[in-house]
């Protein structure tokens, strides 16, 4: 305690507040001393009021912050169907949320208790002190001021008396009547008597207040201590209640079984995959149209195509599909989807095939004159409005036999037409969704064997492949929402790789108008979404060729030359087993054989 009192912040050399000492006497009046002492008691009470009001504010803030914690506890669970409804983590979080609200209520009630008990007690004590100071100021302080006035008056009278006596003793001159020592003596006695009475009144008042001051200070101290004791009692009670709430929160979390939730989840039928479930096999992949004849190429292999500007040949993988297209693939890797997107396509029924090179020629090449199949994009349609001139594309093979193998297949496709499709049938149960769900699993042994290329396809297989199932809305959007930047880059790259025409012919193509024929998409009769069907009707599909393929005059000319004329057998009939005459020269074994 002595070290605390010796601290520089405790030792006050002069008063910083209250009454200052008199400049003449250097003393403080006794009434001012009592007033300053009570003022200090008021400051003590005010400091404690500030302290306990701050504690109350802390409890109010803690109550709000604790209440805000409940907003972060999300119950019931969004995925609650996979968790226990009782005796699990969902019930535990319910308990945590509810008990947290109870804890917030305890803090709020403790704050209200501090305001209504401790703070109220201290405010009453402060009012009593202010009332005590007011009493001293009205009584003792007023008498003290009267005494000071009487002392000044007595000083003046004594000064006047001494001046008259001194004049009487030293001067022979006549003094003024008011300075007569007789009169001034009488006035001095009267003034001093009045001063004595005031001094006695002040003394009696000070004695009275001094005698009451110890009792008053004891009462003030007792009230302050009682207020702080109330705070301790309420605080202990609320702390015990808060600890009980925290114990409930702890028990709710600790009592949840570690494996209870998983045991519940694993007991739900179909929730856990059987570890003995066989893996899906790539070799067992099957789906509607898996072995359809249209999904197998007529011929595929390597060919060289002449570049348009560099006039050089580049070897790429080419495929002749049964739909009548000649596709140039971007790569040979089938596992990369980017390689399956053709870099160059020609619709052969709308093209003209030139004569192949002779065996004696140094270069084993042939030409195809026509237009590239445009992509169904807005920019491509805008560019094709003005029309383009047909271009002769040059292709070259490694050997003459390989060239003739390609030329024979291409000649049959160019001359013939696609066979008519069978009438579409309504699909009651979608086989595509079932195939996607069961992909990778081996089909049952009783399943019908799919048709092989070149043989008769079963009715249900043809129907499923020719029904013209409408693609999903997301597929239509994905085909039509390619970015303009990617389209321009691809088109610039394809323009550079086109073969045949020169730079002068390219300028002439801008002035020739030609619009490629298009065929609207086939709409399935069982489409349930009219909006999706409407969007599909607007989608532009690459041209589908149907018809004879050759005029009567051309057929007569071909008959005279001994060349085969396209009949009712279609593409498959012209290439495989058609009754038409043989091609101009038999196709020897090519480097890449056709699919049989």
């Amino acid at each position: 305690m002595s070290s605390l009192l010796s601290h520089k912040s405790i030792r006050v050399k002069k008063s910083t507040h209250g009454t200052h000492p008199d400049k003449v006497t250097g003393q403080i009046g006794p009434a001012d001393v009592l007033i300053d002492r009570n003022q200090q008691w008021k400051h003590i009470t005010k400091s404690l009021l500030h302290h306990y009001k701050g504690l109350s504010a802390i409890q109010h803030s803690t109550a709000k912050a604790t209440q805000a914690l409940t907003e972060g506890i999300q119950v019931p669970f969004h995925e609650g169907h996979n968790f226990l409804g009782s005796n699990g983590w969902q019930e535990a979080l319910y308990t945590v949320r509810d008990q947290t609200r109870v804890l917030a209520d305890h803090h709020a009630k403790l704050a209200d208790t501090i305001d209504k008990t401790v703070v109220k007690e201290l405010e009453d004590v402060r009012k009593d002190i202010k009332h005590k100071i007011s009493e001293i100021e009205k009584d003792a302080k007023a008498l003290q001021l009267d005494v000071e006035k009487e002392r000044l008056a007595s000083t003046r009278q004594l000064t006047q008396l001494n001046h008259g006596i001194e004049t009487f003793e030293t001067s022979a001159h006549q003094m003024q009547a008011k300075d007569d020592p007789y009169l001034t003596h009488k006035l001095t006695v009267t003034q001093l008597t009045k001063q004595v009475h005031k001094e006695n009144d002040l003394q009696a008042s000070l004695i009275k207040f001094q005698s009451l001051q110890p009792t008053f200070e004891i009462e003030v101290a007792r009230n302050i201590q009682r207020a702080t004791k109330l705070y301790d009692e309420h605080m202990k009670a609320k702390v015990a209640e808060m600890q009980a709430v925290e114990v409930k929160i702890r028990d709710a979390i600790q009592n949840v079984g570690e494996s209870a939730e998983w045991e519940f989840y694993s007991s739900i039928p179909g929730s856990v995959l059987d570890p003995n479930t066989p893996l899906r096999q790539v070799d067992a992949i099957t789906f509607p149209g898996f072995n359809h004849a249209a999904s197998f190429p007529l011929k595929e292999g390597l060919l060289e195509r002449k570049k348009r500007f560099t006039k050089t040949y580049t070897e790429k993988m080419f495929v002749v599909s049964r739909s009548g297209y000649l596709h140039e693939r971007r790569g040979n890797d089938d596992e990369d989807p980017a390689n399956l997107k053709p870099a160059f396509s020609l619709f052969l029924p709308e093209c003209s095939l030139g004569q192949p090179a002779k065996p004696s020629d140094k270069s084993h090449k042939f030409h195809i004159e026509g237009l590239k199949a445009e992509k169904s994009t807005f920019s491509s349609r805008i560019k094709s409005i003005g029309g383009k001139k047909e271009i002769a594309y040059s292709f070259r093979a490694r050997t003459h036999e390989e060239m003739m193998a390609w030329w024979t297949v291409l000649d049959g496709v160019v001359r013939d037409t696609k066979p008519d499709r069978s009438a579409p049938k309504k699909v009651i149960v979608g086989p595509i969704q079932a195939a996607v769900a069961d992909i990778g699993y081996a089909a049952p042994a009783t399943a019908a064997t799919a048709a092989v290329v070149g043989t008769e396809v079963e009715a249900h297989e043809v129907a499923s492949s020719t029904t013209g199932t409408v693609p999903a809305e997301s597929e239509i959007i994905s085909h039509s929402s390619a970015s303009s930047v990617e389209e321009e880059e691809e088109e610039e790259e394809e323009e550079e790789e086109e073969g045949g025409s020169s730079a002068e012919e390219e300028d002439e193509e801008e002035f020739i108008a030609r619009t490629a024929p298009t065929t609207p998409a086939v709409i399935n009769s069982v489409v349930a979404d009219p909006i999706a069907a409407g969007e599909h009707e607007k989608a532009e599909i690459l041209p589908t060729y149907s018809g004879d393929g050759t005029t009567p005059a051309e057929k007569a000319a071909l008959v005279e030359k001994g060349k085969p004329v396209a009949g009712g057998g279609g593409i498959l009939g012209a290439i495989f087993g058609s009754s038409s005459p043989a091609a101009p020269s038999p196709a020897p074994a090519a480097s890449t054989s056709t699919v049989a």
Side-chain angles (χ1 to χ4, degrees):
M1 181 64 70
S2 60
S3 61
L4 178 62
L5 294 177
S6 63
H7 195 271
K8 62 180 181 179
S9 63
I10 302 299
R11 293 180 298 169
V12 181
K13 295 181 180 180
K14 63 179 180 178
S15 61
T16 55
H17 298 283
T19 306
H20 294 280
D22 186 76
K23 294 181 180 180
V24 178
T25 62
Q27 295 179 355
I28 300 176
D32 292 330
V33 173
L34 285 176
I35 291 174
D36 288 347
R37 186 170 184 82
N38 286 283
Q39 286 284 2
Q40 187 57 54
W41 275 108
K42 188 180 73 171
H43 294 155
I44 293 172
T45 308
K46 184 178 179 180
S47 298
L48 292 174
L49 269 172
H50 179 74
H51 173 72
Y52 285 103
K53 283 183 177 179
L55 292 177
S56 176
I58 290 174
Q59 294 298 327
H60 277 298
S61 300
T62 305
K64 291 181 180 179
T66 307
Q67 183 67 29
L69 293 177
T70 60
E71 299 177 359
I73 302 176
Q74 298 179 357
V75 284
F77 290 170
H78 297 301
E79 299 81 9
H81 59 282
N82 292 328
F83 286 80
L84 285 169
S86 59
N87 300 326
W89 284 105
Q90 190 162 203
E91 183 180 2
L93 287 187
Y94 269 115
T95 304
V96 172
R97 186 194 65 179
D98 296 340
Q99 295 302 320
T100 303
R101 290 175 179 173
V102 174
L103 191 63
D105 292 340
H106 285 317
H107 284 288
K109 289 179 181 179
L110 178 58
D112 293 338
T113 302
I114 295 173
D115 291 335
K116 293 178 181 179
T117 57
V118 181
V119 174
K120 186 177 182 301
E121 287 286 339
L122 293 176
E123 287 179 346
D124 293 340
V125 172
R126 189 183 181 198
K127 290 179 181 178
D128 293 340
I129 295 173
K130 291 175 69 176
H131 181 69
K132 186 69 173 179
I133 293 173
S134 178
E135 288 181 352
I136 296 174
E137 287 178 346
K138 290 180 180 180
D139 193 350
K141 181 66 175 179
L143 290 173
Q144 181 178 316
L145 294 176
D146 292 341
V147 169
E148 290 177 357
K149 290 179 182 180
E150 296 303 328
R151 286 179 180 180
L152 290 176
S154 298
T155 302
R156 285 194 301 269
Q157 285 301 124
L158 286 174
T159 301
Q160 186 178 4
L161 176 61
N162 290 332
H163 180 69
I165 293 173
E166 185 180 355
T167 303
F168 174 79
E169 291 178 351
T170 60
S171 176
H173 299 284
Q174 181 184 358
M175 64 179 66
Q176 295 181 1
K178 66 177 183 176
D179 294 334
D180 187 355
Y182 172 77
L183 297 177
T184 55
H185 182 271
K186 291 291 184 181
L187 292 173
T188 301
V189 172
T190 303
Q191 176 61 36
L192 292 176
T193 302
K194 185 178 179 180
Q195 178 186 347
V196 169
H197 290 311
K198 289 294 183 181
E199 292 283 356
N200 291 335
D201 292 340
L202 175 61
Q203 183 178 350
S205 177
L206 291 174
I207 291 173
K208 181 186 70 173
F209 283 112
Q210 287 177 358
S211 62
L212 296 175
Q213 187 67 21
T215 306
F216 177 72
E217 290 187 2
I218 291 172
E219 186 67 21
V220 169
R222 183 182 292 115
N223 291 336
I224 291 175
Q225 292 174 352
R226 183 172 65 251
T228 57
K229 187 177 181 181
L230 287 173
Y231 172 78
D232 292 337
E233 291 176 355
H234 291 296
M235 190 67 182
K236 289 179 181 178
K238 287 299 179 184
V239 167
E241 294 176 357
M242 293 177 188
Q243 289 178 349
V245 172
E246 292 177 354
V247 168
K248 292 180 180 179
I249 294 175
R250 181 198 63 193
D251 293 342
I253 296 175
Q254 296 295 331
N255 292 337
V256 179
E258 297 177 354
S259 60
E261 292 290 357
W262 179 254
E263 292 175 357
F264 168 74
Y265 173 71
S266 60
S267 65
I268 300 175
S271 59
V272 180
L273 186 63
D274 187 1
N276 297 323
T277 302
L279 297 177
R280 299 173 185 260
Q281 302 295 328
V282 177
D283 297 339
I285 293 177
T286 182
F287 48 85
F290 178 71
N291 288 324
H292 192 273
S295 62
F296 291 89
L298 294 175
K299 184 173 178 58
E300 61 180 353
L302 296 175
L303 273 179
E304 295 179 355
R305 182 167 65 88
K306 187 177 182 180
K307 295 287 186 174
R308 179 174 180 181
F309 297 107
T310 60
K311 305 301 182 182
T312 58
Y313 284 89
T314 303
E315 189 175 60
K316 291 294 183 69
M317 177 66 71
F318 284 84
V319 178
V320 179
S321 69
R322 296 179 180 272
S323 300
Y325 279 98
L326 173 64
H327 297 297
E328 177 186 322
R329 294 183 53 177
R330 298 180 182 271
N332 300 334
D333 186 9
D334 291 344
E335 296 182 359
D336 187 0
N339 294 333
L340 299 177
K341 183 179 180 181
F344 174 85
S345 297
L346 284 175
F347 187 54
L348 297 175
E350 291 186 348
C351 298
S352 299
L353 178 63
Q355 290 296 326
K358 298 178 181 180
S360 59
D361 293 342
K362 294 182 179 180
S363 180
H364 313 291
K365 60 184 179 180
F366 57 90
H367 306 282
I368 300 178
E369 185 176 354
L371 287 176
K372 282 197 312 179
E374 294 289 349
K375 294 177 293 184
S376 180
T377 60
F378 180 76
S379 60
S380 299
R381 291 196 296 270
I382 291 298
K383 291 182 179 180
S384 63
I385 289 177
K388 288 187 178 181
K389 183 180 179 181
E390 293 188 351
I391 302 172
Y393 299 94
S394 299
F395 297 89
R396 185 173 66 182
R398 295 179 181 178
T399 62
H400 185 267
E401 291 77 8
E402 184 178 351
M403 179 201 66
M404 291 305 301
W406 277 99
W407 190 90
T408 303
V409 175
L410 294 173
D411 182 64
V413 177
V414 168
R415 294 178 179 279
D416 211 336
T417 62
K418 290 185 62 176
D420 295 335
R421 295 180 175 183
S422 59
K425 298 180 181 179
K426 291 186 177 181
V427 181
I428 305 303
V429 179
I432 296 178
Q433 291 78 2
V436 173
D438 298 334
I439 196 69
Y441 292 130
T446 58
T449 306
V452 189
V453 178
T455 61
E456 183 179 357
V457 182
E458 296 182 4
H460 68 275
E461 186 70 23
V462 175
S464 62
S465 61
T466 59
T467 303
T469 306
V470 180
E473 181 180 359
S474 58
E475 296 178 358
I476 299 175
I477 296 175
S478 63
H479 284 293
S480 61
S481 61
S483 62
S484 59
V485 177
E486 181 180 355
E487 293 173 1
E488 291 178 359
E489 292 178 356
E490 292 181 357
E491 291 174 0
E492 289 177 1
E493 180 182 355
E494 293 171 358
E495 287 292 336
E496 293 179 358
E497 295 183 355
E498 287 181 354
S501 63
S502 61
E504 292 78 9
E505 293 175 344
E506 183 181 4
D507 297 334
E508 296 177 0
E509 293 171 3
E510 302 296 334
F511 302 97
I512 301 175
R514 180 184 182 277
T515 304
T518 58
T519 302
V522 180
I523 302 299
N524 196 341
S525 59
V526 295
V527 173
D529 189 359
I531 298 179
E535 293 182 356
H536 186 67
E537 289 177 353
K538 298 178 182 179
E540 183 179 351
I541 310 300
L542 291 177
T544 301
Y545 186 85
S546 62
D548 198 325
T550 55
T551 62
E554 291 176 348
K555 290 183 179 181
L558 293 175
V559 171
E560 292 177 358
K561 294 180 181 180
K563 293 185 177 182
V565 182
I571 298 175
L572 297 179
I575 307 303
F576 305 98
S578 175
S579 59
S580 301
S585 60
S591 58
T592 306
S593 61
T594 61
V595 178

